[in-house]
Amino acid sequence: GENVEQHPSTLSVQEGDSAVIKCTYSDSASNYFPWYKQELGKRPQLIIDIRSNVGEKKDQRIAVTLNKTAKHFSLHITETQPEDSAVYFCAAYNTDKLIFGTGTRLQVFP
Amino acid sequence: EAGVVQSPRYKIIEKKQPVAFWCNPISGHNTLYWYLQNLGQGPELLIRYENEEAVDDSQLPKDRFSAERLKGVDSTLKIQPAELGDSAVYLCASSLAGVETQYFGPGTRLLVL
């Protein structure tokens, strides 16, 4: 079955810097890759997603890139703000289900 | 539009007791999911419903876990009897039929003592 690996597990950046979180997946049949942000004690919230027929997608300060050949995708956050601090999960959609990575705890220091 | 609703938000029980969680999906969402999220981990699928039919329950520990979605709208997940290792967050999510995008509820945080 599909396996999703996510790195790093923790990431600390200074406010205004960029943050990059990387995920790899194992099954080339996976065709949809969402990213969720989860603040402490709250629900995972979809922040951006990308389908396998697209290489890059951007939404204001957030962008996602997908390399189908290498089977990896990345989340890029520019001009980070303290409110970006949360746990971020990547996921791959395969055989009608989402397989999640293990999460990255992002801390943005003022 | 209301999001996915779950109750209770928190539950503390003693081991061997039964417990039930309730989920109401976004209106019009035919597909409903129950996930287990352990501390520091990503959600893991327990069961997926298409309307009232459980189409994927391969990860549901059927000796103690059961679920139902009788009218194809809200759903209940039950554990009987609960074990210490069941302490986790139980998340419900929903999506439109045939659409990959899933929206999550706030979860029920279960503590088994």
Side-chain angles (χ1 to χ4, degrees):
Chain A
E2 175 63 283
N3 182 53
V4 177
E5 294 190 357
Q6 183 171 348
H7 300 281
S9 56
T10 60
L11 180 59
S12 297
V13 299
Q14 204 74 30
E15 182 179 1
D17 288 349
S18 295
V20 180
I21 302 170
K22 299 181 179 181
C23 289
T24 61
Y25 60 100
S26 59
D27 191 339
S28 56
S30 295
N31 59 3
Y32 170 70
F33 307 92
W35 286 88
Y36 287 85
K37 174 184 180 182
Q38 188 174 29
E39 296 177 68
L40 189 62
K42 296 193 175 180
R43 72 185 74 201
Q45 283 194 303
L46 179 70
I47 56 172
I48 197 167
D49 56 12
I50 192 167
R51 288 184 163 75
S52 57
N53 58 347
V54 176
E56 184 174 357
K57 184 176 178 180
K58 188 173 182 181
D59 183 3
Q60 299 183 342
R61 296 186 297 108
I62 294 173
V64 57
T65 58
L66 171 65
N67 183 326
K68 284 170 50 180
T69 303
K71 294 204 281 284
H72 67 69
F73 56 113
S74 301
L75 178 71
H76 305 253
I77 306 174
T78 59
E79 300 172 25
T80 53
Q81 301 168 2
E83 50 266 38
D84 294 329
S85 296
V87 178
Y88 291 80
F89 291 98
C90 64
Y93 188 79
N94 185 285
T95 56
D96 299 322
K97 66 178 88 173
L98 282 178
I99 308 300
F100 285 83
T102 50
T104 296
R105 181 173 299 278
L106 174 64
Q107 290 184 300
V108 181
F109 292 97
Chain B
E1 178 181 303
V4 177
V5 179
Q6 289 187 249
S7 69
R9 292 295 314 278
Y10 306 92
K11 190 74 177 179
I12 301 174
I13 60 171
E14 294 189 344
K15 64 181 180 182
K16 300 185 181 180
Q17 294 300 305
V19 64
F21 316 124
W22 177 81
C23 171
N24 189 256
I26 293 172
S27 178
H29 282 196
N30 305 83
T31 309
L32 183 146
Y33 312 80
W34 282 103
Y35 286 89
L36 166 69
Q37 186 176 28
N38 285 306
L39 190 64
Q41 299 293 317
E44 298 173 29
L45 182 69
L46 289 171
I47 189 168
R48 174 171 68 95
Y49 281 93
E50 295 287 349
N51 298 305
E52 65 274 10
E53 183 182 359
V55 294
D56 184 355
D57 63 356
S58 57
Q59 301 303 310
L60 189 73
K62 298 180 186 64
D63 56 336
R64 298 184 301 108
F65 287 65
S66 64
E68 60 183 19
R69 194 185 185 200
L70 296 175
K71 296 183 179 179
V73 180
D74 55 351
S75 175
T76 303
L77 178 69
K78 298 178 182 177
I79 308 175
Q80 182 170 10
E83 297 180 352
L84 295 177
D86 296 331
S87 296
V89 176
Y90 292 83
L91 292 164
C92 179
S94 71
S95 68
L96 290 168
V99 177
E100 307 97 329
T101 306
Q102 297 180 23
Y103 298 92
F104 282 85
T108 297
R109 186 173 297 272
L110 174 67
L111 180 60
V112 182
L113 302 175

